[in-house]
Amino acid sequence: MEESTADLIRAQLRRLRTGAGLSQEEFGKLVHYSASMVSAVETGVRPLDRPFLSRADEVLNSGGLLVSLFKMMERERQPSWFRSWLDAEAAARQLRCFHPTLVPALLQTENYARAVIRCDDMLSDEEVEKRLASRMDRQAVLAQPEPPQLIALFDEVALHRRNESFRGLMTRQVEHLLACAERPNVSIHVIPLSVGLHVGLSGPFTLARSDDGGWVGTMESQLGGGVIDSEARLATLLARWETVRNEALPRQQSLDLLKEVVMSWT
């Protein structure tokens, strides 16, 4: 599947370029790449990459076609369980996200997300950027015309995991959280350090409710993740959600805490 999508992207690139009456050399000058680079991309000698295709979309006035196809190709690389979760996430009317140690993915800034992904030292720089782009793409669900309600919970410890080099990144991340919380469909709640131990420390999870009221969940671990769709396991996750939600501060108090944290850093 990935190969056929890659071939489709290259074919569309050639069609758009020739349709615009541009040689590889002329096109290369416009996108700031050499003619040999353009040829290598079109023939499959060089892998496709998002920056090149994004610039090509701009030059060829293609309405984002090439980048959209590239996103499709990247999605096809994902494990089957994660593709089914992406479908559920994109169609959800409500999302409940909980993480005991990190800011939930849908609310991460680009720099924060990159730092989190880079914690896996087995990933190449290229793979880090691919995963980062995928994560940022997912956040578009919150900007669609009828976005889902997002209720995000995380432990206060996530705000204190920093050092001097990380302080600026975290300041911008918390400012981003405060900006996101201004949206009517986003509610952010923090579990304060004073709570101590709680059941949520067992691990992160997310729940998505569809238009028909049905639920699906996902959990991740060191070795991957999976979609939760059995009635019994969903009932357990929904009960866990209620437990951790009850430990969290109300919305306004959570936002006040975020502001206090930023003030203490500056």
Side-chain angles (χ1 to χ4, degrees), residues 18-93:
T18 57
L22 298 171
S23 66
Q24 289 181 339
E25 184 174 0
E26 292 168 333
F27 176 67
K29 289 179 180 178
L30 292 173
V31 295
H32 310 305
Y33 287 89
S34 66
S36 60
M37 165 70 170
V38 174
S39 175
V41 171
E42 289 187 353
T43 58
V45 173
R46 182 182 176 90
L48 297 163
D49 69 71
R50 188 184 293 238
F52 175 87
L53 296 175
S54 178
R55 181 63 181 150
D57 272 331
E58 293 176 10
V59 168
L60 298 169
N61 195 28
S62 56
L65 172 64
L66 299 174
V67 170
S68 295
L69 290 172
F70 185 77
K71 290 178 182 178
M72 184 186 303
M73 186 185 77
E74 286 188 319
R75 185 181 183 280
E76 290 165 356
R77 289 177 180 163
Q78 301 284 358
S80 58
W81 73 266
F82 194 61
R83 292 199 297 271
S84 64
W85 169 252
L86 291 176
D87 290 338
E89 185 177 73
R93 298 316 309 142

Side-chain angles (χ1 to χ4, degrees), residues 246-262:
N246 287 337
E247 297 287 7
L249 295 171
R251 180 179 180 278
Q252 190 55 55
Q253 289 183 33
S254 294
L255 300 184
D256 289 342
L257 175 58
L258 293 175
K259 293 174 184 176
E260 288 174 12
V261 168
V262 172

Side-chain angles (χ1 to χ4, degrees), residues 144-157:
Q144 57 189 352
E146 295 185 13
Q149 179 190 30
L150 171 66
I151 307 172
L153 294 178
F154 57 90
D155 203 289
E156 185 183 348
V157 69

Side-chain angles (χ1 to χ4, degrees), residues 57-251:
D57 272 331
E58 293 176 10
V59 168
L60 298 169
N61 195 28
S62 56
L65 172 64
L66 299 174
V67 170
S68 295
L69 290 172
F70 185 77
K71 290 178 182 178
M72 184 186 303
M73 186 185 77
E74 286 188 319
R75 185 181 183 280
E76 290 165 356
R77 289 177 180 163
Q78 301 284 358
S80 58
W81 73 266
F82 194 61
R83 292 199 297 271
S84 64
W85 169 252
L86 291 176
D87 290 338
E89 185 177 73
R93 298 316 309 142
Q94 184 186 87
L95 290 164
R96 299 180 177 182
C97 306
F98 167 73
H99 205 296
T101 55
L102 297 171
V103 173
L106 291 179
L107 296 176
Q108 292 177 1
T109 64
E110 183 173 326
N111 286 335
Y112 180 92
R114 181 182 285 108
V116 170
I117 296 168
R118 275 192 172 144
C119 288
D120 186 345
D121 57 9
M122 297 179 68
L123 299 178
S124 66
D125 288 346
E126 181 181 5
E127 183 60 29
V128 167
E129 292 305 313
K130 286 179 181 177
R131 295 193 183 194
L132 174 64
S134 177
R135 184 165 301 185
M136 294 298 100
D137 287 343
R138 287 171 58 196
Q139 295 183 3
V141 70
L142 300 178
Q144 57 189 352
E146 295 185 13
Q149 179 190 30
L150 171 66
I151 307 172
L153 294 178
F154 57 90
D155 203 289
E156 185 183 348
V157 69
L159 303 176
H160 300 288
R161 196 173 299 281
R162 58 182 174 81
N163 55 32
E164 285 303 315
S165 62
F166 204 49
R167 185 184 295 248
L169 183 153
M170 280 303 301
T171 299
R172 288 185 287 275
Q173 173 62 71
V174 176
E175 289 172 346
H176 178 67
L177 288 172
L178 291 168
C180 288
E182 293 179 0
R183 303 180 189 181
N185 62 307
V186 176
S187 183
I188 295 172
H189 301 271
V190 181
I191 300 175
L193 293 174
S194 59
V195 168
L197 297 178
H198 57 84
V199 70
L201 296 175
S202 298
F205 62 90
T206 302
L207 290 155
R209 181 174 60 80
S210 62
D211 269 328
D212 62 9
W215 290 94
V216 63
T218 184
M219 298 174 64
E220 296 185 47
S221 69
Q222 291 284 347
L223 299 178
V227 169
I228 310 299
D229 54 12
S230 75
E231 186 174 338
R233 299 185 76 193
L234 281 171
T236 298
L237 280 186
L238 286 165
R240 292 286 172 86
W241 170 266
E242 293 302 326
T243 299
V244 295
R245 174 66 185 85
N246 287 337
E247 297 287 7
L249 295 171
R251 180 179 180 278

